[in-house]
Amino acid sequence: MPGPFRRPTRTTPRAPRRRPLTSAVTHGARRFRLLASATTHRARRLRPLASAAAHRARRLRPLASAAARRLRPLARAVTYTRWLHLLVGAIVPLAGGLIHPGLSHPYPSDWLVVAVLPVPLVAAVALVPAARRAEGLQARLMLFPGKHARAWRTPEGADVSASPSASWTDRGRTALWLVFRMEAGLAVWLLSVGLAQCALTLAGVHVEEPVVAGLALPFGDGRWSAFLAPLPVLVLLALVVAGGALSARVARTLLGPSVKERMAALEGRTERLLERNRIARELHDSLGHALTLAVVQAGAARAAADPEFTDRALEAIEETGRAALEDLERVLLLLRETGRPAAASPGLDEAARLLDSARSSGARVEAEVTGPLEEVPGPVSREAYRMLQECLTNVLRHAGPVPVAARVAVEGAVLRLEVRNPLAPGREERTGSGSGLRGIRERAALLGGSARTGRDGDAWLVRVDLPLR
């Protein structure tokens, strides 16, 4: 038994003392601070290396860009279509070389004979007019980028003609092109085969016969020769790109449009511009006349407040609008080129309807028509109708419902058209520089006539003289 002063012993083990939470957080923060300090020190040490790498990258960027520009032609389909176009040109001399006795072991002199012998035959083919057309179409298809070559560029080759030969100059240029294509194709074929044999020899492949007899190909038994095998391939690709570009440039020069073809294209463009101007004048005259009459009739009907006058005004607006719709449909048929025959433009035989529409707008029109109008040529009659329409439209637009004196007369070999109206009081004098009056002068000039517009006393006068022959 233990004594009264003896401390009893513990029978259970003591639990470990737990560290306070704040102490653990402080310890973790201290470790994290040490780790961040080490990371910062490493980043400070690596910063010069990163700066040097960035500087080197900036220095190498122009070189990489230049290399990408130089290698870009190798990724274009048109490069290889040009190569094929050149190789096709070598068919004629190679076919002629099959009967040449020295082609089994050809020397440079043999290849020279093969290149020269077919020249007269090729030049004779150029005498056929269709040869130029065939060569132009081939050049457009194979020498220039476009959708056919899967190149995302603007289609080129439009400056290469695809029409038959029309002169001896065209035949001579076609002959030069055929000779160039044959000789360049033979040279490209020899280089392609020779450089391919050189690459195979450097790679260790035995070549039985070189393309040119007596040509010493490099031996492929050396230790480092295999590493030089890609060099002839790179030279071949460079020659293909350069030869294709040269072929496209020569095609533009020799197969381009001749002076006669350029003149024909320029005349066609001029005719299209004249046709567009004529259609613009047609729309201006017909629609401008219809809208002017409609505005004048509507204003007069509202001011009169007379049911009978209003009915007449609406009837005149309806007739004028229907005629304008017919003119618009005719012009649209010309623009669409649907193949349907467009209705003929109105002529002087319908001048009475034009004068009646002007009278229904309130203008007091006194018309004098003399001479055999049915004998007036169609173009002159139609243009005179448009001029009379423009004159009446200008009167209603600028002077209002005033007295108008119109005269249409056939005097010998001249058709004379005169429209006279008093100047409206309070209105400024017109200078005669409007688009309508300018159109009248242009129409008269195209027909070989003359037009005079301007003030004549207290009136405004438009006088047009058109030759009938």
Side-chain angles (χ1 to χ4, degrees):
M1 293 181 65
F5 300 104
R6 189 174 180 179
R7 191 175 182 177
T9 60
R10 297 181 61 91
T11 57
T12 59
R14 180 180 296 179
R17 181 179 298 178
R18 295 182 179 179
R19 184 176 297 174
L21 180 61
T22 56
S23 177
V25 171
T26 304
H27 180 68
R30 187 180 299 110
R31 293 182 62 187
F32 181 77
R33 191 180 302 117
L34 293 175
L35 180 61
S37 177
T39 304
T40 304
H41 179 68
R42 291 177 182 175
R44 192 179 296 114
R45 291 179 61 186
L46 293 175
R47 191 177 300 165
L49 300 179
S51 177
H55 180 67
R56 291 177 181 176
R58 282 194 297 270
R59 292 181 59 185
L60 293 177
R61 191 177 302 166
L63 300 178
S65 178
R69 283 196 302 269
R70 293 181 179 179
L71 294 177
R72 191 177 302 167
L74 300 179
R76 298 171 57 195
V78 71
T79 300
Y80 304 99
T81 59
R82 290 174 176 176
W83 188 12
L84 178 61
H85 185 267
L86 289 171
L87 293 178
V88 169
I91 293 178
V92 174
L94 291 178
L98 292 177
I99 59 176
H100 187 67
L103 198 62
S104 57
H105 296 83
Y107 284 87
S109 58
D110 298 324
W111 285 117
L112 182 61
V113 173
V114 168
V116 172
L117 280 179
V119 170
L121 177 62
V122 171
V125 172
L127 298 178
V128 180
R132 183 167 180 260
R133 178 181 179 86
E135 291 298 322
L137 292 175
Q138 290 183 49
R140 283 187 179 184
L141 181 64
M142 303 185 71
L143 295 183
F144 300 96
K147 293 182 179 179
H148 54 272
R150 300 180 182 178
W152 296 101
R153 289 186 55 185
T154 304
E156 299 177 3
D159 50 352
V160 173
S161 177
S163 59
S165 300
S167 62
W168 288 104
T169 303
D170 294 342
R171 293 180 176 89
R173 294 168 65 193
T174 306
L176 291 176
W177 163 253
L178 289 175
V179 173
F180 166 80
R181 183 182 177 189
M182 181 185 67
E183 305 298 347
L186 182 60
V188 169
W189 184 85
L190 290 173
L191 289 173
S192 300
V193 177
L195 290 174
Q197 290 179 349
C198 182
L200 291 175
T201 304
L202 290 174
V205 180
H206 178 68
V207 176
E208 187 69 24
E209 293 182 0
V211 66
V212 179
L215 179 65
L217 295 178
F219 295 99
D221 299 334
R223 180 180 300 179
W224 304 103
S225 61
F227 294 98
L228 300 177
L231 184 60
V233 178
L234 296 178
V235 174
L236 175 61
L237 292 176
L239 290 175
V240 166
V241 173
L246 177 62
S247 181
R249 182 174 300 180
V250 175
R252 285 194 180 97
T253 303
L254 297 180
L255 296 180
S258 60
V259 177
K260 185 177 180 180
E261 291 174 345
R262 291 192 181 97
M263 291 298 296
L266 182 60
E267 290 177 359
R269 182 173 178 271
T270 304
E271 290 179 358
R272 288 192 297 270
L273 291 177
L274 291 176
E275 182 67 16
R276 290 176 59 183
N277 291 334
R278 188 184 68 82
I279 292 175
R281 287 195 301 267
E282 291 275 344
L283 290 177
H284 173 269
D285 294 343
S286 60
L287 296 183
H289 177 73
L291 292 176
T292 300
L293 288 183
V295 170
V296 172
Q297 291 280 6
R302 185 178 61 177
D306 183 6
E308 184 177 356
F309 183 82
T310 301
D311 292 339
R312 292 198 303 270
L314 291 176
E315 183 180 358
I317 291 174
E318 181 182 1
E319 293 179 356
T320 305
R322 187 179 293 110
L325 287 176
E326 292 177 358
D327 290 341
L328 180 61
E329 182 179 2
R330 178 179 53 79
V331 173
L332 292 179
L333 282 176
L334 292 176
L335 291 176
R336 291 171 183 166
E337 296 181 352
T338 56
R340 294 171 49 191
S345 301
L348 287 178
D349 53 346
E350 301 183 22
R353 180 176 62 86
L354 186 62
L355 296 173
D356 291 339
S357 64
R359 292 189 183 100
S360 63
S361 301
R364 297 182 295 276
V365 180
E366 295 181 1
E368 179 185 354
V369 181
T370 59
L373 295 181
E374 65 277 1
E375 297 181 1
V376 177
V380 179
S381 178
R382 290 190 291 268
E383 294 299 324
Y385 177 88
R386 291 302 183 189
M387 294 179 189
L388 179 60
Q389 185 182 51
E390 179 63 27
C391 291
L392 295 176
T393 302
N394 286 338
V395 170
L396 295 174
R397 182 182 300 167
H398 298 287
V402 297
V404 181
R407 179 172 178 264
V408 180
V410 178
E411 300 176 353
V414 176
L415 173 66
R416 174 160 295 179
L417 173 65
E418 291 184 1
V419 177
R420 182 190 300 269
N421 65 279
L423 294 173
R427 291 181 179 266
E428 295 182 359
E429 181 182 348
R430 290 173 289 170
T431 61
S433 59
S435 59
L437 298 178
R438 184 171 61 251
I440 292 176
R441 289 191 289 268
E442 290 176 356
R443 290 176 186 270
L446 288 175
L447 294 175
S450 60
R452 173 180 174 268
T453 60
R455 185 167 182 172
D456 185 18
D458 294 335
W460 183 266
L461 176 64
V462 177
R463 176 180 296 172
V464 180
D465 293 332
L466 301 176
L468 298 180
R469 290 190 291 270

